Amino acid sequence: MTLAERLAAALAADGDGPPELLTGDQVGLDQGPDDALSAAAVLVAVTDRAEPGVILTQRTDTLRRHAGQVAFPGGRLDPGEDAIAAALREAEEEIGLPRDRVGVVGEVDRYRTVTGFCVTPVLAVIAPDLAFVLNPHEVADVFEVPLGFLLDPANQIESEMMWRGVDRRYWEFRWEERRIWGATAAMIVNLSRRLRSWA
């Protein structure tokens, strides 16, 4: 069974029933239609190796939003695009990942951000050790985190902070010197709950 087939089978497995998923950065975002928010997509690219990894980027410090944060390649949908097309385009623009080198597994659960986006993660498989070409205006670095590390609930840290006078709870991971937190971490937590049967 290929890695893509294993991921697809794990996504489809229901186990003891549907998992409890994180739907947004705060409770208020759980109400109302998704189309009230700006549609966006990210690419969750898993490397096809014996110990698969997940590709993440470190955003540049000069960006207007989320400067310096760890994120999946991705962004807003252009007119006429669906989530898969947008995720592939953004990954090509940000890290030079050719669309024809990406094996799409499928869309995963949408996540609503406090900044007004409804984000669709697109799970995909890529060859290991590709040579990425970073867009210097958006991406400072690209790195890989073991999939097993991200799927392990023991590495998923629930934290809290004050944001605009509101006590906000969020998830984070600590991988080597990296801090993965916020919406990116929450989407990884959701993925880990979907992939409960992963072995």
Side-chain angles (χ1 to χ4, degrees):
M1 188 179 287
T2 67
L3 175 59
E5 290 169 339
R6 290 171 61 202
L7 288 169
L11 280 178
D14 207 12
D16 297 325
E20 181 179 347
L21 298 173
L22 309 171
T23 58
D25 286 342
Q26 62 186 27
V27 174
L29 290 176
D30 295 341
Q31 301 166 353
D34 287 345
D35 60 13
L37 302 173
S38 297
V42 295
L43 187 70
V44 184
V46 181
T47 54
D48 192 357
R49 60 172 92 244
E51 295 295 331
V54 175
I55 298 299
L56 290 163
T57 69
Q58 183 93 36
R59 298 169 67 85
T60 63
D61 291 330
T62 56
L63 288 174
R64 187 168 54 90
R65 288 187 173 182
H66 312 299
Q69 291 185 12
V70 170
F72 294 114
R76 188 189 306 261
L77 271 64
D78 282 347
E81 280 187 324
D82 61 15
I84 292 173
L88 294 177
R89 174 183 54 76
E90 288 283 348
E92 193 167 49
E93 291 174 0
E94 291 181 12
I95 62 173
L97 176 58
R99 302 171 205 208
D100 61 359
R101 301 293 301 273
V102 180
V104 174
V105 175
E107 297 180 12
V108 198
D109 304 277
R110 293 176 179 170
Y111 186 83
R112 295 167 161 224
T113 73
V114 73
T115 51
F117 289 91
C118 181
V119 184
T120 301
V122 176
L123 184 63
V125 173
I126 64 172
D129 305 317
L130 291 175
F132 298 115
V133 180
L134 309 188
N135 178 339
H137 301 293
E138 297 187 54
V139 179
D141 196 14
V142 62
F143 61 100
E144 184 175 339
V145 180
L147 178 63
F149 176 89
L150 295 174
L151 297 186
D152 186 348
N155 299 320
Q156 300 169 5
I157 305 163
E158 191 173 10
S159 304
E160 61 181 62
M161 65 184 287
M162 290 297 293
W163 188 78
R164 295 184 179 176
V166 177
D167 186 24
R168 176 184 166 194
R169 300 193 67 79
Y170 64 95
W171 293 87
E172 66 178 314
F173 296 80
R174 298 283 182 163
W175 168 249
E176 298 180 344
E177 77 281 6
R178 312 277 187 177
R179 180 182 182 228
I180 307 162
W181 72 288
T184 300
M187 287 185 276
I188 294 170
V189 169
N190 278 349
L191 184 63
S192 76
R193 294 176 181 182
R194 280 289 180 202
L195 298 178
R196 291 172 295 178
S197 66
W198 180 261

